[in-house]
Amino acid sequence: MKKTAPILLLSALGLASSHVSAATINKSLCVGSLSKTLSGQSVRFWGYYDCSGGMGGGGMMGGGTVPGPVIEIGAGDTLNLTLNVNMMTPQEMSPYNGHTVHLHGADVQTDEDGVPETNGNRVTGDTYTWAPSAGHEGSYPYHCHVHTVKHLEMGMYSAIIVRPRDGSGNFMNRLNQDAATAYDYSQVYVLSTVDPAYHTATGDSTVFADYNPQYFLLSGKEGKTTGAPAMTLAAAKNKKVALRLIGMHSTNSTFQIKDTGGNLKPFTVYIRDGRALPTPKTVTSLDISPGQRADLIVALPSTSGTWYPQVVYKKLRDNAAYATVYGKITF
Ligand SMILES: [Cu+2]
């Protein structure tokens, strides 16, 4: 009994790894340019796109999206994320030529983390390998780390979601192995901001010394009113919705959920920055700083309605509000 007890305990917690089949996931990203019309103004972006099946789709000069593709992997899987060597347009002049993929918050070797100033990181295409451990479920940003002040702003970012797998190797609809984190629906909210002056400046322009964002996005959309939200989800009453907040913005921000009457609604945060909180936190307001993430669950009530998850973007200097961007959940 003494020998088997620890194994039974691990199984009961869902932590036994011997029966969970890990996968190897190979993905390729290319880089393309695109334009977005934001508040009536056309802004040029650079975005990653999934070119795992070859260069097709948008081809060499197009096809980028902002944010780039959201990549889902399992805890225990091995991700081989390749930045295609043919992705070299658009780019800046030397010394800021090329691009990389930085896996923000991931436990990887230095030569896998896409920081060009460190050893072993090429800017002309590379493969980045990451095998997240059990217990590292959650949301992680990825972004280009070449002349980051410019390339991040240009739209070279998205997210990797690390999900738990069941004993058959299938993704579980839980934030991690904890049954309390089960959900019925999920959405990824990528927070980002846009200073159009950064989109035309290059090299060591003094423009990059002063950040004045004009546009405020949730997963690439403006969503300036509850009538035209950036994200919509048709859910059902009594169900649970997982929201994954990923801070790719360059300002402060506060996330809240309100009903049609403006009343704050509680949500429970289970994971911050890729690690489970020792004690889940049920709150009505959550600050998200650049680079931070939160994986949370909203329990919808027993009567039908509409709730508006929303992000207030705020100035770094004095926290004054710039703008509110809305999502929408109907049930
Ligand atoms: Cu880049």
Side-chain angles (χ1 to χ4, degrees):
M1 278 305 291
K2 277 185 180 175
K3 281 185 179 175
T4 55
I7 296 167
L8 289 171
L9 179 61
L10 281 173
S11 299
L13 292 171
L15 296 174
S17 57
S18 57
H19 299 295
V20 177
S21 45
T24 297
I25 296 173
N26 300 310
K27 281 272 181 195
S28 288
L29 297 174
C30 287
V31 180
S33 61
L34 67 150
S35 290
K36 280 179 173 290
T37 301
L38 301 172
S39 297
Q41 302 297 311
S42 180
V43 182
R44 188 164 178 260
F45 288 85
W46 302 340
Y48 296 108
Y49 64 97
D50 188 340
C51 56
S52 301
M55 295 297 291
M60 287 186 71
M61 294 299 291
T65 61
V66 176
V70 174
I71 298 167
E72 292 192 322
I73 63 175
D77 291 357
T78 298
L79 171 67
N80 296 310
L81 186 59
T82 299
L83 187 55
N84 192 299
V85 293
N86 297 310
M87 57 49 195
M88 299 304 294
T89 303
Q91 61 174 295
E92 284 192 275
M93 304 283 281
S94 178
Y96 300 133
N97 56 300
H99 301 291
T100 64
V101 179
H102 170 61
L103 307 176
H104 180 102
D107 279 355
V108 293
Q109 299 294 316
T110 301
D111 60 359
E112 302 291 330
D113 80 353
V115 178
E117 292 80 6
T118 56
N119 192 39
N121 283 282
R122 294 192 294 272
V123 298
T124 53
D126 208 343
T127 296
Y128 305 92
T129 298
W130 180 32
S133 316
H136 290 194
E137 294 89 349
S139 300
Y140 298 79
Y142 69 86
H143 64 82
C144 180
H145 222 301
V146 173
H147 194 201
T148 317
V149 70
K150 164 79 177 176
H151 293 215
L152 183 71
E153 171 71 29
M154 289 303 287
M156 300 190 68
Y157 51 76
S158 191
I160 298 171
I161 310 301
V162 180
R163 298 180 59 183
R165 290 189 186 276
D166 66 18
S168 304
N170 299 312
F171 283 140
M172 303 167 81
N173 287 334
R174 297 179 181 178
L175 296 178
N176 56 29
Q177 292 284 351
D178 181 355
T181 67
Y183 58 80
D184 302 290
Y185 305 88
S186 71
Q187 277 190 325
V188 175
Y189 279 20
V190 177
L191 284 60
S192 67
T193 51
V194 177
D195 180 348
Y198 276 44
H199 288 241
T200 49
T202 57
D204 291 322
S205 168
T206 56
V207 164
F208 295 122
D210 189 15
Y211 192 64
N212 294 291
Q214 306 294 312
Y215 312 117
F216 304 89
L217 309 181
L218 204 50
S219 295
K221 296 179 186 142
E222 288 198 278
K224 294 201 275 191
T225 65
T226 54
M231 299 290 288
T232 58
L233 177 67
K237 59 190 181 183
N238 288 319
K239 299 291 187 183
K240 289 185 173 177
V241 177
L243 295 179
R244 302 180 183 275
L245 313 182
I246 296 162
M248 288 284 92
H249 53 324
S250 299
T251 68
N252 290 337
S253 77
T254 300
F255 173 83
Q256 295 179 326
I257 301 172
K258 294 181 181 176
D259 66 12
T260 51
N263 303 298
L264 288 168
K265 296 298 168 186
F267 53 90
T268 303
V269 183
Y270 288 94
I271 301 173
R272 285 306 304 261
D273 304 326
R275 299 294 183 274
L277 293 176
T279 306
K281 278 191 175 178
T282 299
V283 296
T284 56
S285 188
L286 184 69
D287 287 348
I288 301 286
S289 296
Q292 288 189 325
R293 297 87 72 198
D295 298 88
L296 59 91
I297 288 183
V298 190
L300 299 174
S302 57
T303 53
S304 299
T306 304
W307 285 1
Y308 300 101
Q310 51 201 267
V311 176
V312 181
Y313 288 96
K314 300 172 172 179
K315 292 182 184 175
L316 283 170
R317 288 187 180 86
D318 61 6
N319 244 10
Y322 282 116
T324 302
V325 182
Y326 296 92
K328 180 181 180 179
I329 301 172
T330 53
F331 48 89

